[in-house]
């Protein structure tokens, strides 16, 4: 939920392991470190960047351990250059509740109840869908929303394949279908992102980006980004100051691989900005749409705004014979899929513009 609400925030997101490099090349006014790790703390202690504000968000026990490590740094002469900053971090952690000696009667607790997922909207695809919606109420109580033509995996025991593809408008009560709830979405996304087909499509996108970068006028990355920004504003005058983002988009092909060997797409977070960028560098909308659906989205975490396209990718992946190797490599994934099958209890069609706003 927090991630979806923040998609329009103007901020950069980096891995803790890359924080030192980020601070060396950027000068953020405000920094939020979620779940502080030793790598992040080391980067904060040694950076030459002048941060006005840094927030460290973590649990009390982890913060207490960090405080203990920082205290030892403060006491060692060899680390005297970092002593002042270490002391400031210790003070900040104590204010945040890392002091284990704090009397619980004096502490203030803010507890948010865990929201159990009861509805899954698989109608959206980065635009406000307002057409008819087929609502499926499952035996578990979960409700699924699909477009009438949205694809669904129907369990078909006894057949050559365990699932068959049907459209939401064809679903009937009593049928057993695959439910893309929170427990299965991320495992499936990782499997799709790691598939040979997805890796090939992402590699094709990155190859095109490398070609675009080489052909964009300008002697530096910043010069090229400014040139692209001018084109983007010609297409969409409402385009903001995207220089830093454009520099990242133009160099997506050289992004550092993750430990698993995959590479982030390095593209705009939403379709509208991605399309404006693509058009500005000479890629037509049809090809941009293919890049978006088959190279960018599969490499990213699930977002409710992309539920319709995510569902399409899952259906294709589960039915694709080439996915057999993935099932073998990710032990237990197929069992998770089968455990996510549920029985349809009720089917309701909501007219567009009625309750679908």
């Amino acid at each position: 939920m927090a991630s979806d609400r923040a998609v329009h925030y103007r901020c950069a997101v980096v891995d803790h392991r890359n924080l030192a490099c980020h601070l060396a090349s950027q000068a953020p006014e405000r920094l939020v470190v979620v779940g502080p790790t030793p790598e992040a703390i080391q980067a904060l202690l040694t950076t030459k960047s002048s941060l006005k504000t840094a927030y460290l968000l973590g649990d009390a026990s982890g913060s207490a351990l960090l405080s203990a490590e920082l205290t030892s740094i403060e006491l060692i002469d060899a680390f005297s250059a970092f002593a002042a900053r270490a002391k400031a971090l210790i003070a900040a952690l104590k204010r945040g509740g890392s002091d284990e000696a704090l009397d619980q009667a004096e502490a203030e607790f803010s507890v948010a109840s865990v929201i159990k997922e009861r509805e899954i909207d698989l109608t959206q695809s980065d635009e406000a869908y307002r057409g008819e919606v087929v609502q499926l109420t499952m035996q578990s109580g979960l409700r699924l929303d699909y477009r009438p033509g949205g694809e669904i995996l129907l369990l078909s025991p006894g057949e050559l394949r365990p699932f068959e593809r049907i459209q939401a408008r064809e679903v009937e009560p009593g049928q057993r279908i695959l439910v893309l709830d929170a427990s299965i979405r991320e495992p499936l996304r990782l499997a799709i992102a790691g598939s040979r087909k997805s890796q090939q499509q992402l590699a094709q996108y990155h190859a095109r980006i490398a070609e675009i970068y080489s052909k964009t006028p300008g002697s530096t990355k910043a010069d090229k980004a400014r040139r692209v920004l001018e084109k983007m504003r010609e297409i969409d005058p409402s385009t903001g100051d995207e220089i830093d983002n454009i520099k990242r988009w133009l160099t997506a092909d050289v992004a550092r691989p993750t430990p698993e060997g995959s590479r982030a797409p390095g593209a705009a977070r939403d379709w509208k900005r991605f399309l404006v960028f693509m058009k500005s560098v000479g890629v037509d909308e049809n090809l941009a749409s293919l890049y978006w659906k088959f190279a960018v989205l599969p490499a990213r975490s699930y977002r409710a705004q992309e539920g319709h396209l995510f569902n399409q990718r899952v259906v294709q992946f589960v039915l694709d014979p080439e996915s057999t190797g993935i099932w073998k490599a990710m032990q237990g994934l197929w069992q998770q899929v089968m455990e996510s099958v549920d029985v349809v209890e009720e089917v309701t069609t909501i007219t567009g513009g009625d309750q679908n706003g």
Side-chain angles (χ1 to χ4, degrees), residues 26-335:
Q26 306 292 330
E29 290 187 3
R30 184 181 294 109
L31 182 72
V32 180
V33 182
V34 181
T37 59
E39 293 95 334
I41 295 299
Q42 181 179 353
L44 289 173
L45 284 173
T46 59
T47 182
K48 295 181 180 179
S49 178
S50 298
L51 293 169
K52 291 184 179 179
T53 310
Y55 296 100
L56 276 64
L57 308 182
D59 58 68
S61 59
S63 297
L65 290 172
L66 287 175
S67 293
E69 292 181 2
L70 288 167
T71 299
S72 63
I73 289 176
E74 190 182 6
L75 298 175
I76 299 174
D77 290 339
F79 296 139
S80 59
F82 310 120
R85 193 168 282 178
K87 188 173 183 179
L89 283 172
I90 293 170
L93 288 169
K94 285 186 176 180
R95 286 198 304 273
S98 68
D99 187 356
E100 295 180 329
L102 181 67
D103 186 342
Q104 288 192 2
E106 297 178 15
E108 294 183 3
F109 297 92
S110 176
V111 180
S113 61
V114 175
I115 300 174
K116 189 174 182 180
E117 191 174 40
R118 305 309 303 162
E119 300 176 6
I120 303 174
D121 186 356
L122 298 173
T123 67
Q124 303 304 313
S125 60
D126 219 12
E127 82 276 358
Y129 175 74
R130 299 185 181 279
E132 282 191 343
V133 174
V134 176
Q135 295 184 340
L136 307 181
T137 303
M138 309 307 296
Q139 194 173 72
S140 62
L142 192 65
R143 195 192 82 192
L144 308 175
D145 290 356
Y146 290 91
R147 299 182 186 187
E151 297 177 335
I152 289 177
L153 288 169
L154 172 68
L155 188 67
S156 53
E159 299 292 331
L160 184 60
R161 290 184 178 179
F163 290 102
E164 62 178 285
R165 186 197 323 248
I166 63 172
Q167 293 185 342
R169 59 167 63 93
E170 301 170 340
V171 175
E172 299 176 359
Q175 291 180 322
R176 298 170 64 84
I177 66 172
L178 176 61
V179 173
L180 296 179
D181 62 11
S183 67
I184 194 63
R185 285 196 299 262
E186 183 62 9
L188 278 174
R189 186 198 70 80
L190 289 172
I192 293 171
S195 69
R196 183 176 62 181
K197 186 174 292 185
S198 293
Q199 291 292 321
Q200 289 174 343
Q201 289 163 338
L202 183 58
Q204 290 172 7
Y205 171 68
H206 281 160
R208 184 61 184 273
I209 287 296
E211 179 186 347
I212 288 168
Y213 182 84
S214 66
K215 292 182 177 180
T216 300
S219 57
T220 67
K221 185 163 59 175
D223 290 340
K224 293 174 182 285
R226 279 190 287 269
R227 191 64 173 265
V228 172
L229 180 58
E230 291 174 4
K231 293 286 186 181
M232 289 179 66
R233 285 175 171 165
E234 290 175 8
I235 298 169
D236 181 1
S238 67
T239 301
D241 183 8
E242 297 271 23
I243 288 292
D244 289 336
N245 289 328
I246 294 170
K247 286 192 288 187
R248 186 177 73 255
W249 302 341
L250 285 173
T251 55
D253 62 303
V254 296
R256 182 181 300 177
T258 65
E260 295 78 24
S262 61
R263 191 176 262 116
R269 188 64 196 178
D270 59 85
W271 163 246
K272 179 182 177 182
R273 289 160 65 234
F274 180 80
L275 178 58
V276 173
F277 170 71
M278 286 278 97
K279 285 183 175 180
S280 73
V281 294
V283 177
D284 65 62
E285 184 169 350
N286 289 333
L287 183 54
S289 179
L290 291 176
Y291 285 144
W292 180 253
K293 292 177 181 179
F294 299 106
V296 177
L297 291 185
R300 288 182 167 165
S301 298
Y302 169 82
R303 295 171 63 221
Q305 293 95 327
E306 298 293 349
H308 178 66
L309 294 176
F310 178 80
N311 178 66
Q312 286 183 315
R313 292 292 289 168
V314 169
V315 172
Q316 293 166 3
F317 175 74
V318 172
L319 296 179
D320 189 348
E322 293 185 11
S323 299
T324 305
I326 297 291
W327 300 119
K328 292 180 179 179
M330 299 185 69
Q331 296 182 359
L333 179 59
W334 185 254
Q335 182 62 32

